Amino acid sequence: MPWQGPKEESAEFRGLAAAVARAATDDRTVIITCVNQAWAAPGSLLDLFLESFRIGDGTARLLPHVLVVAMDPGAHSRCLAVHQHCYHYTIPGLNIDFAALKYFLSKDYLELVWSKLKLQRRILELGYGFLFTDVDIMWLRDPFKHVTAYADMTVSSDVYFGDPDNLDNFPNTGFFHVKPNARTIAMTKLWHGARGKYPGANEQPVFNMMKKRMVKKLGLRVQYLDPVYVGGFCRYGKDLGKIVTMHANCCVGIDNKIRDLKGVLDDWKNYTRLPHWEKHRAKWTVPGACIRAEKQA
């Protein structure tokens, strides 16, 4: 039986249960991403994100299970124009304009990323698993094939030492899968509760500092994804025959992200047009604004 958490609907999460239920798969899993108005604008990251699903190998069938969480009214309006499942996340009493671009580690940026963790915990409490994906990630193949039945949490990695069970791998919480159970709900509570101990830090380094403690205390089972398959600009696989997702991490500035992600999609389109006997010759077009040949795994 899946974990069945509390069903009361607070003002902060009004309408979330229904939105998740509409988007979820038969096994109660939902793909979630978050956007503000800047990321959802025409020609921006949301458009590239959705396009990747449409042109990826076996990913179009996953689009009906993507729930786009909009952090402001403008993002919600734009989402409704381009996608089936949209949820406007409002936080009572929080007076922050989420619509504008947020600079990395600014006060508003930190509020945005930590708010996502609260929403993720609520989804687990509703009895659903999720795969969270940043909107600057291109989905080229189905990543669920790389999620094991063993792990409570499966997370991408910026620094990977070759063993998915090695807790010394560096996590990237821009892409992770979590099952709904008592261990993972407790994990998200401890994780969010530690925010005050690490002022000025976003959720990713806090998780990295806490992961071994949570594994020991909760019996949490964590596995890491090989960047040969689930890659990013920090570290990515050079073989287009293996790559599953590509994340515009290690990349500052929305214009740089858009430029290089367009290049990723162009390279993918060129790869898919090749006859099968030529595909092994395909390569990424580098360098870009952020993507670099020396970052290949």
Side-chain angles (χ1 to χ4, degrees), residues 235-290:
R235 191 72 171 163
Y236 63 95
K238 61 182 178 181
D239 188 347
L240 274 72
K242 294 181 179 179
I243 197 73
V244 175
T245 60
M246 183 67 96
H247 189 180
N249 53 7
C250 292
C251 190
V252 177
I254 191 170
D255 291 338
N256 288 332
K257 287 177 180 284
I258 290 170
R259 172 185 163 182
D260 279 15
L261 289 176
K262 285 181 177 179
V264 166
L265 293 185
D266 286 343
D267 285 348
W268 175 257
K269 292 172 186 175
N270 290 334
Y271 168 80
T272 58
R273 294 187 190 110
L274 292 172
H276 65 85
W277 60 86
E278 289 286 341
K279 288 189 184 304
H280 69 284
R281 300 179 184 274
K283 295 180 180 180
W284 296 110
T285 301
V286 291
C290 299

